[in-house]
Amino acid sequence: MPLPQYIANEFEAFLKCGIAAHGFLRLSCAGCSQEKIVAFSCKKRGWCPSCCAKRQAEAALRLLDDILPLAPYRQMVLSFPFALRFWMQANKKLFSQIHRIALRAMHRHYEDAARRIGIKSPKSGSVSFTQRAGSALNLNPHLHVLMLDGVFTEISGKAHFRNVPRMTDDDVSRLAESISRKVIALLKRQGLLDKEGSLVAHPDVDPIFRD
Ligand SMILES: [Zn+2]
Ligand SMILES: [Zn+2]
């Protein structure tokens, strides 16, 4: 199977990233007349280590400075069985449905834990990042979810953070099982698996992967 064109484009842009021969800005200081050449970067998101690191630092800063309330967080990483990885990679809609199932289950874990200790109308929170490759650039769509390690609740018009009982290994297994059950149910509903869970059909492949 030939590589999709967007991968070739990404790689070619990366080869030119930060090399002045492919274009640059000449900056000069208004005070003294010192000049500096800054080469254009490729601004790609695939594997340019320089542009990805910059994006990562910018995203982290933005989350810290503008978005995340001061509270404890827990990172959850969700990976998937091999067969499902190919399906998720090839079908964006399926990936996002599974993403939604996973997040809903994680949020429900926190909100249920809060209700059990008497917290009214608890609101959990998360920010999630989709990654499509493992560290060896192998195909491995997975999710990194930054989860509020507790809940917010409203007390006289103001949001207050409340702790919930610490997550245990058993909680994590239950969570993983519940996500797995719901994903299998989704695949059955879509006619991809039969009642016993055996393969019936492969999902459609997004146009980006077609020749
Ligand atoms: Zn100067
Ligand atoms: Zn780059």
Side-chain angles (χ1 to χ4, degrees), residues 54-82:
K54 189 175 158 207
R55 205 178 289 277
Q56 187 182 10
E58 279 173 354
L61 255 185
R62 170 135 170 74
L63 284 174
L64 281 173
D65 288 354
D66 304 332
I67 296 173
L68 298 178
L70 201 60
Y73 292 89
R74 174 184 286 270
Q75 189 192 192
M76 309 234 205
V77 180
L78 186 64
S79 66
F80 300 94
F82 281 101

PDB file of all heavy atoms in Angstrom, residues 54-82:
ATOM      1  N   LYS A  54       7.754  22.483  20.244  1.00  0.00           N
ATOM      2  CA  LYS A  54       7.279  23.852  20.431  1.00  0.00           C
ATOM      3  C   LYS A  54       5.777  23.847  20.711  1.00  0.00           C
ATOM      4  O   LYS A  54       5.288  24.511  21.628  1.00  0.00           O
ATOM      5  CB  LYS A  54       7.594  24.656  19.168  1.00  0.00           C
ATOM      6  CG  LYS A  54       7.338  26.124  19.333  1.00  0.00           C
ATOM      7  CD  LYS A  54       7.774  26.872  18.093  1.00  0.00           C
ATOM      8  CE  LYS A  54       7.052  28.194  18.017  1.00  0.00           C
ATOM      9  NZ  LYS A  54       6.904  28.660  16.660  1.00  0.00           N
ATOM     10  N   ARG A  55       5.063  23.055  19.917  1.00  0.00           N
ATOM     11  CA  ARG A  55       3.617  22.961  20.087  1.00  0.00           C
ATOM     12  C   ARG A  55       3.268  22.431  21.481  1.00  0.00           C
ATOM     13  O   ARG A  55       2.346  22.896  22.141  1.00  0.00           O
ATOM     14  CB  ARG A  55       3.058  22.007  19.035  1.00  0.00           C
ATOM     15  CG  ARG A  55       1.619  22.215  18.675  1.00  0.00           C
ATOM     16  CD  ARG A  55       1.239  21.238  17.596  1.00  0.00           C
ATOM     17  NE  ARG A  55       1.840  21.530  16.310  1.00  0.00           N
ATOM     18  CZ  ARG A  55       1.340  22.405  15.444  1.00  0.00           C
ATOM     19  NH1 ARG A  55       0.231  23.047  15.733  1.00  0.00           N
ATOM     20  NH2 ARG A  55       1.929  22.635  14.299  1.00  0.00           N
ATOM     21  N   GLN A  56       4.043  21.432  21.908  1.00  0.00           N
ATOM     22  CA  GLN A  56       3.802  20.829  23.216  1.00  0.00           C
ATOM     23  C   GLN A  56       3.998  21.867  24.330  1.00  0.00           C
ATOM     24  O   GLN A  56       3.172  21.985  25.234  1.00  0.00           O
ATOM     25  CB  GLN A  56       4.775  19.665  23.398  1.00  0.00           C
ATOM     26  CG  GLN A  56       4.551  18.835  24.633  1.00  0.00           C
ATOM     27  CD  GLN A  56       5.589  17.727  24.754  1.00  0.00           C
ATOM     28  OE1 GLN A  56       6.583  17.701  24.018  1.00  0.00           O
ATOM     29  NE2 GLN A  56       5.368  16.825  25.666  1.00  0.00           N
ATOM     30  N   ALA A  57       5.085  22.641  24.214  1.00  0.00           N
ATOM     31  CA  ALA A  57       5.367  23.644  25.239  1.00  0.00           C
ATOM     32  C   ALA A  57       4.275  24.714  25.238  1.00  0.00           C
ATOM     33  O   ALA A  57       3.805  25.151  26.304  1.00  0.00           O
ATOM     34  CB  ALA A  57       6.739  24.265  24.993  1.00  0.00           C
ATOM     35  N   GLU A  58       3.837  25.130  24.049  1.00  0.00           N
ATOM     36  CA  GLU A  58       2.788  26.151  23.963  1.00  0.00           C
ATOM     37  C   GLU A  58       1.473  25.654  24.557  1.00  0.00           C
ATOM     38  O   GLU A  58       0.788  26.376  25.282  1.00  0.00           O
ATOM     39  CB  GLU A  58       2.546  26.543  22.495  1.00  0.00           C
ATOM     40  CG  GLU A  58       3.548  27.544  21.977  1.00  0.00           C
ATOM     41  CD  GLU A  58       3.395  27.780  20.474  1.00  0.00           C
ATOM     42  OE1 GLU A  58       2.590  27.075  19.822  1.00  0.00           O
ATOM     43  OE2 GLU A  58       4.105  28.660  19.969  1.00  0.00           O
ATOM     44  N   ALA A  59       1.142  24.388  24.248  1.00  0.00           N
ATOM     45  CA  ALA A  59      -0.113  23.832  24.757  1.00  0.00           C
ATOM     46  C   ALA A  59      -0.064  23.741  26.278  1.00  0.00           C
ATOM     47  O   ALA A  59      -1.041  24.067  26.965  1.00  0.00           O
ATOM     48  CB  ALA A  59      -0.374  22.454  24.141  1.00  0.00           C
ATOM     49  N   ALA A  60       1.085  23.323  26.819  1.00  0.00           N
ATOM     50  CA  ALA A  60       1.206  23.183  28.267  1.00  0.00           C
ATOM     51  C   ALA A  60       1.060  24.541  28.948  1.00  0.00           C
ATOM     52  O   ALA A  60       0.349  24.685  29.956  1.00  0.00           O
ATOM     53  CB  ALA A  60       2.542  22.540  28.618  1.00  0.00           C
ATOM     54  N   LEU A  61       1.702  25.561  28.358  1.00  0.00           N
ATOM     55  CA  LEU A  61       1.632  26.905  28.938  1.00  0.00           C
ATOM     56  C   LEU A  61       0.202  27.431  28.943  1.00  0.00           C
ATOM     57  O   LEU A  61      -0.272  27.991  29.919  1.00  0.00           O
ATOM     58  CB  LEU A  61       2.471  27.863  28.092  1.00  0.00           C
ATOM     59  CG  LEU A  61       3.802  28.285  28.665  1.00  0.00           C
ATOM     60  CD1 LEU A  61       4.435  29.336  27.760  1.00  0.00           C
ATOM     61  CD2 LEU A  61       3.632  28.837  30.087  1.00  0.00           C
ATOM     62  N   ARG A  62      -0.465  27.224  27.800  1.00  0.00           N
ATOM     63  CA  ARG A  62      -1.822  27.728  27.669  1.00  0.00           C
ATOM     64  C   ARG A  62      -2.741  27.047  28.691  1.00  0.00           C
ATOM     65  O   ARG A  62      -3.562  27.691  29.343  1.00  0.00           O
ATOM     66  CB  ARG A  62      -2.306  27.479  26.234  1.00  0.00           C
ATOM     67  CG  ARG A  62      -3.754  27.735  26.009  1.00  0.00           C
ATOM     68  CD  ARG A  62      -3.994  28.516  24.733  1.00  0.00           C
ATOM     69  NE  ARG A  62      -5.409  28.563  24.401  1.00  0.00           N
ATOM     70  CZ  ARG A  62      -6.292  29.319  25.046  1.00  0.00           C
ATOM     71  NH1 ARG A  62      -5.911  30.076  26.060  1.00  0.00           N
ATOM     72  NH2 ARG A  62      -7.561  29.306  24.694  1.00  0.00           N
ATOM     73  N   LEU A  63      -2.557  25.726  28.854  1.00  0.00           N
ATOM     74  CA  LEU A  63      -3.380  25.012  29.835  1.00  0.00           C
ATOM     75  C   LEU A  63      -3.121  25.545  31.239  1.00  0.00           C
ATOM     76  O   LEU A  63      -4.050  25.799  32.005  1.00  0.00           O
ATOM     77  CB  LEU A  63      -3.069  23.510  29.801  1.00  0.00           C
ATOM     78  CG  LEU A  63      -3.655  22.713  28.636  1.00  0.00           C
ATOM     79  CD1 LEU A  63      -3.128  21.285  28.661  1.00  0.00           C
ATOM     80  CD2 LEU A  63      -5.182  22.706  28.708  1.00  0.00           C
ATOM     81  N   LEU A  64      -1.843  25.725  31.552  1.00  0.00           N
ATOM     82  CA  LEU A  64      -1.491  26.147  32.914  1.00  0.00           C
ATOM     83  C   LEU A  64      -1.941  27.572  33.191  1.00  0.00           C
ATOM     84  O   LEU A  64      -2.471  27.871  34.254  1.00  0.00           O
ATOM     85  CB  LEU A  64       0.026  26.053  33.119  1.00  0.00           C
ATOM     86  CG  LEU A  64       0.548  24.642  33.383  1.00  0.00           C
ATOM     87  CD1 LEU A  64       2.070  24.636  33.392  1.00  0.00           C
ATOM     88  CD2 LEU A  64       0.006  24.124  34.703  1.00  0.00           C
ATOM     89  N   ASP A  65      -1.704  28.471  32.215  1.00  0.00           N
ATOM     90  CA  ASP A  65      -1.959  29.887  32.476  1.00  0.00           C
ATOM     91  C   ASP A  65      -3.430  30.265  32.317  1.00  0.00           C
ATOM     92  O   ASP A  65      -3.934  31.113  33.040  1.00  0.00           O
ATOM     93  CB  ASP A  65      -1.127  30.762  31.522  1.00  0.00           C
ATOM     94  CG  ASP A  65       0.346  30.727  31.892  1.00  0.00           C
ATOM     95  OD1 ASP A  65       0.664  30.131  32.934  1.00  0.00           O
ATOM     96  OD2 ASP A  65       1.162  31.284  31.139  1.00  0.00           O
ATOM     97  N   ASP A  66      -4.117  29.656  31.339  1.00  0.00           N
ATOM     98  CA  ASP A  66      -5.437  30.181  30.987  1.00  0.00           C
ATOM     99  C   ASP A  66      -6.594  29.238  31.259  1.00  0.00           C
ATOM    100  O   ASP A  66      -7.738  29.666  31.276  1.00  0.00           O
ATOM    101  CB  ASP A  66      -5.495  30.518  29.485  1.00  0.00           C
ATOM    102  CG  ASP A  66      -4.404  31.490  29.087  1.00  0.00           C
ATOM    103  OD1 ASP A  66      -3.989  32.271  29.952  1.00  0.00           O
ATOM    104  OD2 ASP A  66      -3.974  31.443  27.918  1.00  0.00           O
ATOM    105  N   ILE A  67      -6.329  27.947  31.350  1.00  0.00           N
ATOM    106  CA  ILE A  67      -7.469  27.028  31.315  1.00  0.00           C
ATOM    107  C   ILE A  67      -7.665  26.221  32.588  1.00  0.00           C
ATOM    108  O   ILE A  67      -8.756  26.232  33.164  1.00  0.00           O
ATOM    109  CB  ILE A  67      -7.339  26.080  30.098  1.00  0.00           C
ATOM    110  CG1 ILE A  67      -7.426  26.922  28.808  1.00  0.00           C
ATOM    111  CG2 ILE A  67      -8.457  25.035  30.097  1.00  0.00           C
ATOM    112  CD1 ILE A  67      -7.146  26.169  27.553  1.00  0.00           C
ATOM    113  N   LEU A  68      -6.628  25.537  33.051  1.00  0.00           N
ATOM    114  CA  LEU A  68      -6.838  24.605  34.154  1.00  0.00           C
ATOM    115  C   LEU A  68      -6.954  25.330  35.487  1.00  0.00           C
ATOM    116  O   LEU A  68      -6.084  26.115  35.844  1.00  0.00           O
ATOM    117  CB  LEU A  68      -5.671  23.610  34.231  1.00  0.00           C
ATOM    118  CG  LEU A  68      -5.473  22.717  33.009  1.00  0.00           C
ATOM    119  CD1 LEU A  68      -4.257  21.824  33.213  1.00  0.00           C
ATOM    120  CD2 LEU A  68      -6.716  21.888  32.742  1.00  0.00           C
ATOM    121  N   PRO A  69      -8.019  25.058  36.230  1.00  0.00           N
ATOM    122  CA  PRO A  69      -8.085  25.635  37.577  1.00  0.00           C
ATOM    123  C   PRO A  69      -7.038  24.968  38.480  1.00  0.00           C
ATOM    124  O   PRO A  69      -6.597  23.848  38.192  1.00  0.00           O
ATOM    125  CB  PRO A  69      -9.504  25.288  38.045  1.00  0.00           C
ATOM    126  CG  PRO A  69     -10.004  24.233  37.142  1.00  0.00           C
ATOM    127  CD  PRO A  69      -9.180  24.243  35.882  1.00  0.00           C
ATOM    128  N   LEU A  70      -6.642  25.664  39.505  1.00  0.00           N
ATOM    129  CA  LEU A  70      -5.661  25.124  40.435  1.00  0.00           C
ATOM    130  C   LEU A  70      -6.312  23.972  41.206  1.00  0.00           C
ATOM    131  O   LEU A  70      -7.197  24.195  42.031  1.00  0.00           O
ATOM    132  CB  LEU A  70      -5.225  26.233  41.398  1.00  0.00           C
ATOM    133  CG  LEU A  70      -3.901  26.024  42.106  1.00  0.00           C
ATOM    134  CD1 LEU A  70      -2.760  25.908  41.095  1.00  0.00           C
ATOM    135  CD2 LEU A  70      -3.634  27.165  43.075  1.00  0.00           C
ATOM    136  N   ALA A  71      -5.916  22.760  40.891  1.00  0.00           N
ATOM    137  CA  ALA A  71      -6.526  21.577  41.508  1.00  0.00           C
ATOM    138  C   ALA A  71      -5.616  20.400  41.197  1.00  0.00           C
ATOM    139  O   ALA A  71      -4.759  20.498  40.335  1.00  0.00           O
ATOM    140  CB  ALA A  71      -7.912  21.332  40.895  1.00  0.00           C
ATOM    141  N   PRO A  72      -5.807  19.286  41.903  1.00  0.00           N
ATOM    142  CA  PRO A  72      -5.013  18.102  41.548  1.00  0.00           C
ATOM    143  C   PRO A  72      -5.525  17.454  40.262  1.00  0.00           C
ATOM    144  O   PRO A  72      -6.724  17.536  39.967  1.00  0.00           O
ATOM    145  CB  PRO A  72      -5.212  17.158  42.734  1.00  0.00           C
ATOM    146  CG  PRO A  72      -6.327  17.707  43.534  1.00  0.00           C
ATOM    147  CD  PRO A  72      -6.625  19.092  43.088  1.00  0.00           C
ATOM    148  N   TYR A  73      -4.616  16.835  39.510  1.00  0.00           N
ATOM    149  CA  TYR A  73      -4.992  16.171  38.265  1.00  0.00           C
ATOM    150  C   TYR A  73      -4.401  14.773  38.234  1.00  0.00           C
ATOM    151  O   TYR A  73      -3.424  14.487  38.925  1.00  0.00           O
ATOM    152  CB  TYR A  73      -4.478  16.957  37.054  1.00  0.00           C
ATOM    153  CG  TYR A  73      -5.188  18.266  36.910  1.00  0.00           C
ATOM    154  CD1 TYR A  73      -4.704  19.411  37.549  1.00  0.00           C
ATOM    155  CD2 TYR A  73      -6.375  18.359  36.207  1.00  0.00           C
ATOM    156  CE1 TYR A  73      -5.384  20.615  37.472  1.00  0.00           C
ATOM    157  CE2 TYR A  73      -7.066  19.555  36.116  1.00  0.00           C
ATOM    158  CZ  TYR A  73      -6.571  20.678  36.754  1.00  0.00           C
ATOM    159  OH  TYR A  73      -7.253  21.853  36.685  1.00  0.00           O
ATOM    160  N   ARG A  74      -5.010  13.934  37.415  1.00  0.00           N
ATOM    161  CA  ARG A  74      -4.485  12.586  37.224  1.00  0.00           C
ATOM    162  C   ARG A  74      -4.425  12.333  35.727  1.00  0.00           C
ATOM    163  O   ARG A  74      -5.356  12.651  35.005  1.00  0.00           O
ATOM    164  CB  ARG A  74      -5.424  11.579  37.880  1.00  0.00           C
ATOM    165  CG  ARG A  74      -5.075  10.133  37.626  1.00  0.00           C
ATOM    166  CD  ARG A  74      -6.125   9.244  38.241  1.00  0.00           C
ATOM    167  NE  ARG A  74      -5.999   9.202  39.689  1.00  0.00           N
ATOM    168  CZ  ARG A  74      -5.252   8.306  40.347  1.00  0.00           C
ATOM    169  NH1 ARG A  74      -4.597   7.383  39.681  1.00  0.00           N
ATOM    170  NH2 ARG A  74      -5.175   8.318  41.651  1.00  0.00           N
ATOM    171  N   GLN A  75      -3.291  11.812  35.274  1.00  0.00           N
ATOM    172  CA  GLN A  75      -3.223  11.496  33.846  1.00  0.00           C
ATOM    173  C   GLN A  75      -3.659  10.061  33.614  1.00  0.00           C
ATOM    174  O   GLN A  75      -3.186   9.148  34.269  1.00  0.00           O
ATOM    175  CB  GLN A  75      -1.816  11.685  33.269  1.00  0.00           C
ATOM    176  CG  GLN A  75      -1.874  11.565  31.766  1.00  0.00           C
ATOM    177  CD  GLN A  75      -0.545  11.447  31.054  1.00  0.00           C
ATOM    178  OE1 GLN A  75      -0.511  11.568  29.838  1.00  0.00           O
ATOM    179  NE2 GLN A  75       0.534  11.192  31.758  1.00  0.00           N
ATOM    180  N   MET A  76      -4.594   9.881  32.700  1.00  0.00           N
ATOM    181  CA  MET A  76      -5.013   8.536  32.337  1.00  0.00           C
ATOM    182  C   MET A  76      -4.573   8.303  30.896  1.00  0.00           C
ATOM    183  O   MET A  76      -4.774   9.167  30.037  1.00  0.00           O
ATOM    184  CB  MET A  76      -6.522   8.420  32.387  1.00  0.00           C
ATOM    185  CG  MET A  76      -7.111   8.910  33.685  1.00  0.00           C
ATOM    186  SD  MET A  76      -8.128   7.625  34.368  1.00  0.00           S
ATOM    187  CE  MET A  76      -9.238   8.605  35.357  1.00  0.00           C
ATOM    188  N   VAL A  77      -3.976   7.155  30.651  1.00  0.00           N
ATOM    189  CA  VAL A  77      -3.576   6.808  29.289  1.00  0.00           C
ATOM    190  C   VAL A  77      -4.381   5.582  28.895  1.00  0.00           C
ATOM    191  O   VAL A  77      -4.417   4.606  29.636  1.00  0.00           O
ATOM    192  CB  VAL A  77      -2.067   6.500  29.214  1.00  0.00           C
ATOM    193  CG1 VAL A  77      -1.674   6.141  27.783  1.00  0.00           C
ATOM    194  CG2 VAL A  77      -1.264   7.690  29.707  1.00  0.00           C
ATOM    195  N   LEU A  78      -5.073   5.693  27.782  1.00  0.00           N
ATOM    196  CA  LEU A  78      -5.895   4.569  27.347  1.00  0.00           C
ATOM    197  C   LEU A  78      -5.377   4.040  26.021  1.00  0.00           C
ATOM    198  O   LEU A  78      -5.337   4.760  25.023  1.00  0.00           O
ATOM    199  CB  LEU A  78      -7.352   5.019  27.202  1.00  0.00           C
ATOM    200  CG  LEU A  78      -8.341   3.909  26.899  1.00  0.00           C
ATOM    201  CD1 LEU A  78      -8.421   2.914  28.048  1.00  0.00           C
ATOM    202  CD2 LEU A  78      -9.714   4.484  26.606  1.00  0.00           C
ATOM    203  N   SER A  79      -4.942   2.768  26.010  1.00  0.00           N
ATOM    204  CA  SER A  79      -4.516   2.177  24.744  1.00  0.00           C
ATOM    205  C   SER A  79      -5.539   1.114  24.346  1.00  0.00           C
ATOM    206  O   SER A  79      -6.411   0.767  25.142  1.00  0.00           O
ATOM    207  CB  SER A  79      -3.109   1.606  24.865  1.00  0.00           C
ATOM    208  OG  SER A  79      -3.122   0.529  25.765  1.00  0.00           O
ATOM    209  N   PHE A  80      -5.427   0.621  23.129  1.00  0.00           N
ATOM    210  CA  PHE A  80      -6.473  -0.240  22.586  1.00  0.00           C
ATOM    211  C   PHE A  80      -5.887  -1.524  22.015  1.00  0.00           C
ATOM    212  O   PHE A  80      -4.710  -1.567  21.660  1.00  0.00           O
ATOM    213  CB  PHE A  80      -7.224   0.516  21.479  1.00  0.00           C
ATOM    214  CG  PHE A  80      -7.867   1.771  21.972  1.00  0.00           C
ATOM    215  CD1 PHE A  80      -7.209   2.984  21.861  1.00  0.00           C
ATOM    216  CD2 PHE A  80      -9.114   1.738  22.582  1.00  0.00           C
ATOM    217  CE1 PHE A  80      -7.791   4.153  22.350  1.00  0.00           C
ATOM    218  CE2 PHE A  80      -9.699   2.894  23.060  1.00  0.00           C
ATOM    219  CZ  PHE A  80      -9.039   4.100  22.943  1.00  0.00           C
ATOM    220  N   PRO A  81      -6.715  -2.587  21.907  1.00  0.00           N
ATOM    221  CA  PRO A  81      -6.227  -3.838  21.303  1.00  0.00           C
ATOM    222  C   PRO A  81      -5.810  -3.602  19.851  1.00  0.00           C
ATOM    223  O   PRO A  81      -6.346  -2.706  19.188  1.00  0.00           O
ATOM    224  CB  PRO A  81      -7.447  -4.767  21.354  1.00  0.00           C
ATOM    225  CG  PRO A  81      -8.453  -4.107  22.211  1.00  0.00           C
ATOM    226  CD  PRO A  81      -8.133  -2.665  22.287  1.00  0.00           C
ATOM    227  N   PHE A  82      -4.893  -4.436  19.363  1.00  0.00           N
ATOM    228  CA  PHE A  82      -4.323  -4.213  18.025  1.00  0.00           C
ATOM    229  C   PHE A  82      -5.376  -4.098  16.936  1.00  0.00           C
ATOM    230  O   PHE A  82      -5.323  -3.189  16.115  1.00  0.00           O
ATOM    231  CB  PHE A  82      -3.335  -5.335  17.671  1.00  0.00           C
ATOM    232  CG  PHE A  82      -2.018  -5.143  18.326  1.00  0.00           C
ATOM    233  CD1 PHE A  82      -1.674  -5.861  19.459  1.00  0.00           C
ATOM    234  CD2 PHE A  82      -1.119  -4.203  17.829  1.00  0.00           C
ATOM    235  CE1 PHE A  82      -0.460  -5.649  20.084  1.00  0.00           C
ATOM    236  CE2 PHE A  82       0.112  -4.000  18.451  1.00  0.00           C
ATOM    237  CZ  PHE A  82       0.436  -4.728  19.585  1.00  0.00           C
TER     238      PHE A  82
END
